[in-house]
Amino acid sequence: MSAPTPPQDTLVLDPVAMHIVNRVAEGTVLEGNNLNFKGGLLLQGTLRGEGEIAGRLVIWHTGQLQGRFRILGDLIVLGHLGGVTDDTDSTTAVECQGTVQVASTGVCTGSLSAARLRLYEGGVMQGPFRTLQRERLLPVLDTMA
């Protein structure tokens, strides 16, 4: 009698249901500064530079993100965040206002800041991670005054 297999986490992706309206296709390289995507982005190719993504970002198995980006939704990493090396990528820094999910095929070599992190078994986190702190709702009173 064999031991029962542990339950597997499943990550289901449906870009249409996720309201992702932008796509960088596999084989495409898009570079630039002040890149802005409204309505999320499905990244199957390569995106380099700096900018903001207003919505979810899905880095597909074939996708790579390099540079400085701010994500105003969730981030799902199936491909590469940062350079495709074993070393950390000091030129890539991503801030995610939502939840970052690094799938079993995902590799993060860049610096990552996010409200929440979910790392699936097999996912790789080479670069530093920092949890974003929620802004305080009430100001801190100066008791020394």
Side-chain angles (χ1 to χ4, degrees):
M1 181 182 215
S2 64
T5 41
Q8 295 289 320
D9 285 333
T10 303
L11 183 60
V12 177
L13 298 177
D14 182 353
V16 174
M18 297 167 79
H19 306 291
I20 296 176
V21 298
N22 299 291
R23 176 178 171 235
V24 175
E26 183 176 352
T28 301
V29 177
L30 181 60
E31 296 185 43
N33 296 324
N34 298 319
L35 296 168
N36 291 302
F37 297 91
K38 303 255 188 264
L41 175 65
L42 173 60
L43 180 60
Q44 295 172 307
T46 301
L47 181 61
R48 291 188 190 114
E50 62 182 54
E52 185 174 273
I53 296 144
R56 289 184 177 100
L57 170 61
V58 176
I59 302 174
W60 202 247
H61 302 280
T62 56
Q64 180 182 18
L65 179 74
Q66 286 185 292
R68 300 191 174 280
F69 288 89
R70 186 167 187 236
I71 301 160
L72 302 180
D74 296 332
L75 168 62
I76 300 170
V77 181
L78 301 164
H80 290 274
L81 187 145
V84 187
T85 66
D86 291 334
D87 299 326
T88 58
D89 179 356
S90 62
T91 64
T92 297
V94 173
E95 177 185 308
C96 175
Q97 298 295 312
T99 300
V100 173
Q101 297 182 62
V102 181
S104 61
T105 58
V107 177
C108 295
T109 58
S111 173
L112 184 58
S113 302
R116 291 167 299 284
L117 172 68
R118 180 160 189 185
L119 181 63
Y120 288 83
E121 186 175 342
V124 177
M125 292 285 296
Q126 290 292 109
F129 174 79
R130 181 175 66 90
T131 303
L132 292 176
Q133 300 298 318
R134 290 183 180 248
E135 295 180 5
R136 296 174 191 236
L137 298 176
L138 298 173
V140 176
L141 299 176
D142 184 3
T143 59
M144 300 301 285

